[in-house]
Amino acid sequence: MCGRYTVIDDDDIAELREIIPAFRGHIYGGSELFGATVSPGMTAPILTQHGDFMPARWGFALSAKKLAFNARSEGLETNRLYSPHLQYGRIVAPARCYYEWMPFEAKKQKFTIAPDYSRRPVLYLCGLMRPVDGGFEYTIITCPAADSIAYIHPRMPLAVDPDGARKWLVSRETPRVLAPELLHASSD
């Protein structure tokens, strides 16, 4: 995943109740980011396994200038940075779409990867969070790209539907990525 996604709109909040019964329906700040495109280092709303929908900073700070904003799904259990957060730090970042860039002639071509909105308006990007001074930060888990979009980038976020988000948050299973036929890539 290249490092940008668009946060859900107000209209999508009701769908969060499908995911986790403990969802309290409260938005702890961050609602001003609805519809915004976020990048690493920015704050965006996340849904935690505890039922909170709250703002957190995208990226585990490794130093003053370096962030781990993506975590490879392979080896999460053995990676010292991520494994401590697998039990109590699971989150999903609700998104309308995410972006990838592909080299094209002398410049990069931007692609928007989004669900088929007639079937599913929201992608849920699986991730992990951890506490930091005065708040939380999160990273998004990536996996090998679905065949339908692998020509753009070899990796993609672990993007799931509400059932997959529930599996990730509540039952602690690693869900399958959203069915490739539900994802569409369009160039801008």
Side-chain angles (χ1 to χ4, degrees), residues 105-139:
E105 296 177 359
K107 59 183 179 180
K108 291 187 177 185
Q109 184 173 3
K110 179 181 173 186
F111 285 84
T112 301
I113 314 293
D116 175 350
Y117 289 118
S118 66
R119 296 165 95 181
R120 173 66 45 212
V122 179
L123 295 170
Y124 296 94
L125 310 179
C126 296
L128 298 171
M129 71 172 196
R130 69 179 184 181
V132 292
D133 293 338
F136 293 89
E137 56 189 16
Y138 69 100
T139 187

Side-chain angles (χ1 to χ4, degrees), residues 98 113-116 119-125 143 146-149 156-164 175-184:
Y98 72 94
I113 314 293
D116 175 350
R119 296 165 95 181
R120 173 66 45 212
V122 179
L123 295 170
Y124 296 94
L125 310 179
C143 59
D147 290 342
S148 61
I149 58 174
M156 65 180 283
L158 183 54
V160 298
D161 61 13
D163 185 53
R176 292 180 156 222
V177 70
L178 195 63
E181 66 272 10
L182 299 179
L183 290 175
H184 298 282

Side-chain angles (χ1 to χ4, degrees), residues 12-26 46-54 87-92 94 124 129 161-172:
D12 301 315
I13 296 296
E15 187 173 292
L16 298 179
R17 292 188 203 297
E18 290 181 38
I19 296 172
I20 187 164
F23 175 58
R24 294 175 179 87
H26 302 294
I46 59 171
L47 178 62
T48 73
Q49 68 192 76
H50 312 291
D52 295 317
F53 190 54
M54 62 184 211
Q87 187 169 4
Y88 298 112
R90 292 175 182 238
I91 62 100
V92 291
Y124 296 94
M129 71 172 196
D161 61 13
D163 185 53
R166 189 178 316 102
K167 285 178 182 175
W168 175 250
L169 294 173
V170 179
S171 67
R172 304 217 169 89

Side-chain angles (χ1 to χ4, degrees), residues 13 24 44 55 57-59 67 69 72 84 104 108 157 176 184:
I13 296 296
R24 294 175 179 87
R57 185 173 56 90
W58 183 12
L67 294 174
F69 56 92
R72 289 180 167 261
F104 183 73
K108 291 187 177 185
R176 292 180 156 222
H184 298 282

